[in-house]
Amino acid sequence: DVRAIPALLKALGNSDTNFRYHVVEALGQLQALEAVDALLEIVESGDFYLSFPAIDALNRIGDPRVAPRLVPLLQNELLMVPASELLGNLGDEEVVPPLVALLNQPGSQVTVIAGALVALCDRYERLYQEGKHIADVAAEQVTPTGVQNLLDGLPLARDNETRPLAVVLGWLQGSAVERSLTRLMGNPQARGDVVEALVRHGSRVTD
């Protein structure tokens, strides 16, 4: 009940951490826009136990203004995954460079980052018909290490993780990329995106 929001905001000051955890979850379920500033303070406090549900709550609330404040969390090993998911759902083109920079690091969590980039691209296409712009910004900044991370991630990806990897690979160039995309034509989750990518690559993929 949204009438509980003022009481829940007041309850964020409770000294019991477990109690505050459930307050944060409740504010997220109520999509309480009034709670955004307080939740951001919790996220930035560094308390993992509360930061994790606070990021989830901000994701549920859906205020895109929070995205720039969460970019630094991409460097936080414990909070990188939920921060990436939020940036994919709420960010704009400004969050693409830090996401790609993370993709370019050796040993990066490539499926999480690819998922965030594709979520952002899909949202831009749905809202503005500008998904290609996100793809182009990302492709310009992916290094050879980033490409190899994507290629290495494919054999380890679960079914729901294959499409984001295939989509991001489809933004890129190179014979290794094209060979991997061709192998993915048999994957039902990725096939449509793979075919589109191969068509864009043109006649050089024919062989």
Side-chain angles (χ1 to χ4, degrees):
D1 192 320
V2 294
R3 292 174 297 177
I5 290 174
L8 288 165
L9 287 170
K10 185 176 180 181
L12 281 174
N14 192 285
S15 59
D16 186 321
T17 301
N18 190 54
F19 181 77
R20 293 175 69 202
Y21 179 100
H22 292 291
V23 170
V24 167
E25 281 198 325
L27 288 166
Q29 289 172 15
L30 291 170
Q31 297 181 313
L33 194 61
E34 308 94 314
V36 164
D37 290 337
L39 291 170
L40 280 170
E41 289 181 12
I42 291 172
V43 170
E44 294 170 341
S45 72
D47 181 343
F48 172 76
Y49 185 72
L50 290 177
S51 293
F52 198 96
I55 294 172
D56 182 67
L58 289 168
N59 211 348
R60 287 171 176 263
I61 293 167
D63 186 344
R65 294 174 299 172
V66 306
R69 297 269 294 271
L70 268 74
V71 168
L73 295 183
L74 294 175
Q75 304 305 318
N76 184 315
E77 186 176 349
L78 296 176
L79 297 175
M80 186 277 288
V81 172
S84 296
E85 291 173 351
L86 182 144
L87 292 175
N89 291 333
L90 302 179
D92 57 20
E93 64 181 281
E94 299 299 322
V95 308
V96 174
L99 283 168
V100 175
L102 199 59
L103 175 68
N104 291 334
Q105 294 179 10
S108 62
Q109 294 198 42
V110 64
T111 54
V112 173
I113 303 162
L117 288 169
V118 171
L120 179 55
C121 179
D122 289 346
R123 182 162 55 85
Y124 258 59
E125 183 62 28
R126 184 173 66 254
L127 296 177
Y128 317 115
Q129 292 74 55
E130 287 291 342
K132 185 177 183 300
H133 176 63
I134 297 300
D136 290 344
V137 171
E140 288 174 0
Q141 301 179 55
V142 178
T143 66
T145 300
V147 174
Q148 193 59 52
N149 286 340
L150 289 164
L151 294 172
D152 292 343
L154 275 175
L156 306 174
R158 297 189 290 268
D159 286 346
N160 64 324
E161 297 170 335
T162 302
R163 178 185 175 258
L165 293 174
V167 171
V168 177
L169 281 169
W171 301 341
L172 308 174
Q173 305 286 338
S175 58
V177 168
E178 291 157 4
R179 284 195 301 271
S180 292
L181 287 173
T182 304
R183 294 190 198 103
L184 283 171
M185 287 183 70
N187 185 298
Q189 282 79 27
R191 184 181 298 125
D193 296 287
V194 167
V195 170
E196 287 184 17
L198 292 174
V199 170
R200 289 195 303 271
H201 285 214
S203 60
R204 67 177 180 273
V205 305
T206 303
D207 289 344

